[in-house]
Amino acid sequence: MAKKAKQAAGTPAIVALTAAGVPFTTHSYEHDPAHPSYGEEAAQALGVSPEQVFKTLVADVDGGLTVAVVPVSGSLDLKALAAAVGGKRAAMADPALAERTTGYVRGGISPLGQRRRLPTVLDASASRHATICVSAGRRGLEVELSPTDLATLTSATVAPVARP
């Protein structure tokens, strides 16, 4: 058990949260590689609503990478994302490029502690919750924090970018 705590403490996302001094809680669970959805798996494992668990997606907006943080219960509206950052066209980024740029693996990309800080958009639905869960930097590890703290730490634009 101490080994898991040490691993959790070592993720760049946890380090960033600790350095910022904001309150947060980590939640770990046994990741099932066969599960079809990382986010839905996290919601089920944590026993929380999929509307409260947010996935981190990396998109290409007009040739530059942008992070979108949306509830796992929905999908990303690429047109709304482009508009939120003043762009014209958005498409999902190549997964290998997203991994190289953020320093995280797909299914474990956190909006916090990325290798290269990217423009971030947090879906407006996050404000409906006192806390939300996002990846803490690896599959099977989530961090729970206030959406306000997440928006502040990532300098996120808050906009409606998710579709049900």
Side-chain angles (χ1 to χ4, degrees), residues 30-38 41 139:
E30 197 62 40
H31 167 63
D32 175 5
H35 200 287
S37 167
Y38 298 116
E41 176 190 30
R139 297 172 188 153

Side-chain angles (χ1 to χ4, degrees), residues 40-52:
E40 288 177 13
E41 176 190 30
Q44 290 168 0
L46 301 178
V48 298
S49 163
E51 288 80 25
Q52 191 179 355

Side-chain angles (χ1 to χ4, degrees), residues 10-140:
T11 71
I14 300 296
V15 170
L17 284 166
T18 302
V22 300
F24 67 94
T25 305
T26 56
H27 302 281
S28 64
Y29 59 92
E30 197 62 40
H31 167 63
D32 175 5
H35 200 287
S37 167
Y38 298 116
E40 288 177 13
E41 176 190 30
Q44 290 168 0
L46 301 178
V48 298
S49 163
E51 288 80 25
Q52 191 179 355
V53 178
F54 282 63
K55 55 190 169 186
T56 305
L57 303 172
V58 181
D60 179 319
V61 179
D62 295 340
L65 295 181
T66 299
V67 170
V69 184
V70 298
V72 301
S73 59
S75 60
L76 175 60
D77 181 334
L78 290 166
K79 285 180 94 172
L81 176 65
V85 296
K88 293 182 182 191
R89 182 172 291 166
M92 293 307 297
D94 173 68
L97 178 60
E99 289 178 344
R100 277 193 313 273
T101 304
T102 64
Y104 294 118
V105 297
R106 202 172 117 228
I109 294 177
S110 177
L112 300 156
Q114 296 176 357
R115 181 177 290 149
R116 191 172 103 213
R117 191 172 185 171
L118 299 171
T120 301
V121 180
L122 174 62
D123 185 63
S125 68
S127 63
R128 295 185 205 137
H129 307 282
T131 61
I132 60 172
C133 296
V134 296
S135 176
R138 68 173 166 81
R139 297 172 188 153

